Amino acid sequence: MRAHRPSGARGAGAAPYLFLAPAVVLFTLFTAVPIVYTAYLSLRRTKVSGLGLGRGARREVFAGLDNYSAAVGDGELWAGWLRVLGYGAIVLTVMLGLALLFALLLDSAHVRLARFSRIALFLPYAVPGVVATLLWGFLYLPSVTPLRDLGIDAVLLGPGTVTFSMANIAVWGGTGFNMLVLYTALRAVPRTYYEAARIDGASERQIALRIKIPILMPAIILTTVFSVIATIQVFTEPTALRPLTNTISSTWSPLMKVYRDAFVNGDLYSAAATSIVIAAISLVLSFGFLRVVRDRAFQEG
Amino acid sequence: MAVTTGTVARQRTLRRPLRPYGVAPTAILLLGAVYCLLPVSWVLIAATKSKAELFSTATFAPGTGLAANIADLAAYRGGVFWLWMLNTLIYAGGGALLSTAVSAVSGYTLAKYRFRGRNAIFNVLIGGILVPSVVLAIPQYVLFSSIGLAGSYWSVLLPQILHPYSIYLARVYAGAAIPDSLLEAGRIDGAGHWLLLRRVALPLMLPGMVTIFLFQFVAIWNNFLLPFIMLGDDHTFPLTVGLYTLLAAGSNQPALYNLIITGALVSLIPLIALFLTMQRYWRTDLSSGAVKS
């Protein structure tokens, strides 16, 4: 703790705390309390005495880690993780790969109609996930799909293809935003960096690989971490696609299982434990990714 | 922003006659643009198809049923679709306004004041980014129902006001857009904290606040999980939940499909209009200060 007053604090008094009060109150009510409450619920269960009829027959009791061991031993949940792993691998590589490619192409001096392409590529960002799923879902139906007009007989919502069809919806909806983040970062780089490389005889491709991608690394890491967190929590696309096909179960993704446990089966306790497990996995993955990337960056540097 | 009007592109070509990769980069970008526009252009066409045409004519062949579809949509359950539009506007507009106000004041304070606990408060608020929404949604529902507010407008509006990333953006923007000397001059003239906030800080932060508002508006407009969990009565639904319930009902009543497609089109119009008219505010980096067009 410093003895002297930091600069700029003269007469600040309570003002900064008052200005931050709304954010702190909202954080407490809608983030901190719910987290603690979820953790509390995850350690509880309902105890049914007798036939479970009448007042007081159902009581909430301490359950220890029973809900967690049930979540870890749940085959349905593991199957969900595997499906999301396959889906996420496709989404993350294709979406972020395309976002990077488009950002680099837009930033290079050799494209025409760049403004039109940029706006068109960003447009899906304005389409809600439910509506995007609905549009693509119809385009996947055998009686509507344009592939039918081309004479191609494709089953797009079958057991073997539904993961790819769903990944396509996420790629379509997410590429534009990630592209904008990367493109904005690229536009902030002084053009003189590239001029020097050009004078030295570097090709556009070399400039992209050797200068632009390293400069973009922080933005690429940021978009990857956010995309990983979003992908683990996939819920909207499979839920909204279910009415159009019977290949998606009500527990297709871990989050769908949490929803079903909590609001269809009424078992808030195991849903709370599962959601804590989901949160823990997404935290471990994002920190793990940051760590791997940082270690590698230091080795090269 | 990229300036690529026809003349500039032509001058560039003249100056540098060799285009090392030919038309390939342009072609790849246009291919991407076509992919992104495909579903949107389809829904534009499909909304014109009558019930019989939807499943029989070619995918991109316009139909003859647009007026009938819109009339059906307007009449569905006593016009509940328009209520969904209005609800969405209340959730997204009201939520984004409140969120922008909280973010701007917090961002300004964190950027321009030195006080004990500043970094701790910032880190805790930003840490909220990493908390998956599902961990929050279930207890938020239970807590709202315990005070009898589950299913109300408040249950969807209130949890979406605090947005960690917006506070981060506002802090970055305040740091770049508000000169310390201006605040110092105001203090010497005897202006209080509240006056400085209202007369100096917020006006300078306005362009950044528009950007924060837009991103928050779209985020709330697109949210499905929270209203899906919180709301039970279809008179309080936003569009996303309303269209989903139509779709779920449509698996037994395919006659609803025309309604769903027309509804999807109508629901896209406000967002796409906002999106196209506010082009210069859609920026993900606010560190450069003033908005450049």
Side-chain angles (χ1 to χ4, degrees), chain B residues 219-290:
Chain B
I220 301 176
W221 188 288
N222 292 356
N223 195 349
F224 174 68
L225 182 68
L226 185 74
F228 184 55
I229 285 177
M230 287 287 179
L231 304 173
D233 175 5
D234 72 352
H235 290 94
T236 57
F237 283 176
L239 279 166
T240 48
V241 180
L243 284 172
Y244 169 77
T245 54
L246 269 186
L247 190 64
S251 52
N252 300 320
Q253 295 167 262
L256 283 176
Y257 282 158
N258 287 78
L259 277 192
I260 297 165
I261 289 167
T262 314
L265 174 67
V266 175
S267 77
L268 285 182
I269 293 170
L271 265 195
I272 290 182
L274 187 73
F275 178 83
L276 292 177
T277 52
M278 303 295 257
Q279 268 298 314
R280 70 198 192 105
Y281 289 104
W282 290 105
R283 312 175 324 133
T284 53
D285 168 36
L286 292 178
S287 57
S288 53

Side-chain angles (χ1 to χ4, degrees), chain A residues 7 11 17 19 30 34 38 110 112 122 125-126 128 143-146 148-149 168 172 183-184 226 233 240 243 255, chain B residues 2 19 21 26 35-36 42 55 57 59 109 114 116 129 133-135 139-140 193 215 222 229 247 251 271 275 284:
Chain A
S7 63
Y17 300 104
F19 287 166
F30 300 113
T38 305
H110 304 287
R112 287 158 181 275
F122 188 45
Y125 173 72
S143 53
V144 179
T145 180
R148 179 198 56 173
D149 299 338
N168 173 56
W172 183 81
Y183 176 71
T184 313
F226 283 164
Q233 298 184 60
L255 198 49
Chain B
R19 291 161 69 91
Y21 299 102
T26 306
Y35 166 66
C36 288
W42 172 77
F55 294 109
T57 57
T59 311
T109 310
R114 305 279 173 279
R116 189 168 292 168
I129 289 179
S133 51
V134 60
V135 182
Q140 280 169 355
H193 299 286
F215 277 109
N222 292 356
I229 285 177
L247 190 64
S251 52
L271 265 195
F275 178 83
T284 53

